[in-house]
Amino acid sequence: MVGVTGIVGQTVAAKLVGLGWETFGLSRSGGSPSPAVTPVKADLSDPEGLARALDGVRPEIVAVTAWTRQETEAENIAVNGGAVRNLLAALEPAASVRHVALMTGLKHYLGPFEAYATGVMADTPFREEEPRLDSPNFYYAQEDEVFASARRNGFTWSVHRSHTVFGFATGNAMNMVLTLAAYATICKELGRPFVFPGSETQWNSVTDVTDAGLLADQIIWASADDAGHDQAFNIANGDVFRWRWLWPQIAEHFGLKWEGFEGRPRTLEASMAGMEQVWHDIATRHGLVEPDLNRIASWWHSDGDLGRNIEVLTDMNKSRKAGFLGFRDTRDSFFDYVEQYRQARIIP
């Protein structure tokens, strides 16, 4: 499991452990979400270090859910494409790998951060058969590294294109549930309304999201079922919603008054700037385990998702036809993770 401390990686690892698999978790920190997961400390940018760390590890299934954001897409391609290449090269001498699952996302259809939603795009819902965009994209580079290694080494592969992921993790760059929970907690502390930070389009349009547990289920299914081999699949919960429907329910859950879209986006990065001490005080008073707001909230990422001026949702028919019939109720998913964060004393 590559990226085992992340929002998806730790979920995949837990499910593999539950199925009785011997599970190794690779991360730069060397952390492990469970004593049942053997930690492997390695930097994906260091080929020699990877080879040493993985010496003696003979995985059958490799799930890659890690990436590192860089300043430009050229750097994203170099670093993240290189990470997949280095990983698979380090595993090649053991010749044990029979399947590699790569997690990507909807930037496959929308373009990279610096050219986001500016090229010619498919109609929604996005379908897997759509051709790649012309703009450079680190997801494409990662895929190409997997495809090339698969041809050389004879393993099967799957690509999993998720939307915004709802899950359980701290210190993650793309964690909307915890970000919004922290935002709501700070609003309550300061007596502020719970203001929707995004665009009019996202407030009113139909959208979908991806539960980390559902994504993990699809990764494991694709590794075991012939119908999942050598295919790319979208992965979303299977329902759709509008933020104008869910936002008031989140506000009510936290005991807050709310405001929807009013004229312009009112971003989290702007409204939550300088709130580190406020969070530290909340954490101290409630005995929370993480007083560092930067490890709790990813304002920039939630602003990006909620600020889009295009409709974004995915088609799940290819996955269903292949036999993966999992689904999640998005409202239940959101509030289930909020409760997990409470139980873990990450939010009050």
Side-chain angles (χ1 to χ4, degrees), residues 242-263:
R242 290 182 172 88
W243 281 105
R244 71 186 190 202
W245 170 80
L246 185 58
W247 197 257
Q249 297 179 66
I250 300 172
E252 181 180 9
H253 182 86
F254 285 93
L256 295 167
K257 295 181 179 179
W258 61 274
E259 295 179 11
F261 176 83
E262 294 183 4

Side-chain angles (χ1 to χ4, degrees), residues 301-338:
H301 186 267
S302 292
D303 280 340
D305 278 3
L306 296 175
R308 293 178 293 207
N309 284 311
I310 53 172
E311 181 183 73
V312 180
L313 71 157
T314 54
D315 183 270
M316 282 292 293
N317 282 334
K318 179 180 178 181
S319 185
R320 290 168 180 151
K321 289 177 180 178
F324 181 76
L325 303 178
F327 70 93
R328 293 292 190 278
D329 180 293
T330 292
R331 176 171 54 184
D332 289 350
S333 174
F334 186 93
F335 291 116
D336 285 350
Y337 284 118
V338 168

Side-chain angles (χ1 to χ4, degrees), residues 68-85:
T68 305
R69 188 183 182 190
Q70 305 297 315
E71 289 296 319
T72 68
E73 194 60 16
E75 292 172 292
N76 275 329
I77 290 168
V79 170
N80 294 292
V84 174
R85 180 170 62 253

Side-chain angles (χ1 to χ4, degrees), residues 196-212:
F196 181 72
S199 68
E200 183 176 16
T201 301
Q202 289 306 304
W203 180 247
N204 289 317
S205 294
V206 171
T207 191
D208 56 18
V209 297
T210 305
D211 185 289

Side-chain angles (χ1 to χ4, degrees), residues 35-252:
V37 178
T38 302
V40 177
K41 184 176 182 178
D43 188 329
L44 293 171
S45 67
D46 177 6
E48 293 181 0
L50 267 172
R52 288 193 299 271
L54 292 170
D55 185 29
V57 178
R58 298 176 57 84
E60 294 180 51
I61 299 169
V62 178
V64 183
T65 65
W67 70 284
T68 305
R69 188 183 182 190
Q70 305 297 315
E71 289 296 319
T72 68
E73 194 60 16
E75 292 172 292
N76 275 329
I77 290 168
V79 170
N80 294 292
V84 174
R85 180 170 62 253
N86 295 340
L87 170 73
L88 297 179
L91 292 171
E92 193 165 315
S96 62
V97 177
R98 62 175 179 80
H99 187 85
V100 173
L102 174 68
M103 172 189 163
T104 64
L106 298 195
K107 286 188 289 297
H108 183 95
Y109 306 110
L110 295 166
F113 288 116
E114 61 191 49
Y116 192 72
T118 59
V120 177
M121 293 180 299
D123 286 338
T124 54
F126 298 131
R127 293 176 172 85
E128 294 90 339
E129 65 265 24
E130 291 296 332
R132 291 178 173 183
L133 300 174
D134 289 336
S135 55
N137 192 313
F138 82 86
Y139 285 160
Y140 305 161
Q142 289 183 311
E143 287 182 346
D144 288 343
E145 295 295 344
V146 171
F147 301 159
S149 184
R151 287 192 295 270
R152 289 195 307 272
N153 296 291
F155 58 74
T156 59
W157 56 265
S158 56
V159 175
H160 305 266
R161 298 173 186 162
S162 70
H163 198 170
T164 301
V165 175
F166 285 4
F168 182 89
T170 56
N172 185 269
M174 301 184 293
N175 192 340
M176 183 179 282
V177 175
L178 185 53
T179 296
L180 294 182
Y183 173 47
T185 301
I186 293 171
C187 287
K188 190 167 187 177
E189 177 78 5
L190 300 179
R192 293 185 178 184
F194 190 56
V195 175
F196 181 72
S199 68
E200 183 176 16
T201 301
Q202 289 306 304
W203 180 247
N204 289 317
S205 294
V206 171
T207 191
D208 56 18
V209 297
T210 305
D211 185 289
L214 183 70
L215 173 52
D217 287 344
Q218 192 193 56
I219 286 172
I220 294 169
W221 163 79
S223 71
D225 194 308
D226 288 346
H229 293 169
D230 301 334
Q231 298 292 329
F233 295 105
N234 293 331
I235 179 62
N237 286 352
D239 61 359
V240 296
F241 70 99
R242 290 182 172 88
W243 281 105
R244 71 186 190 202
W245 170 80
L246 185 58
W247 197 257
Q249 297 179 66
I250 300 172
E252 181 180 9

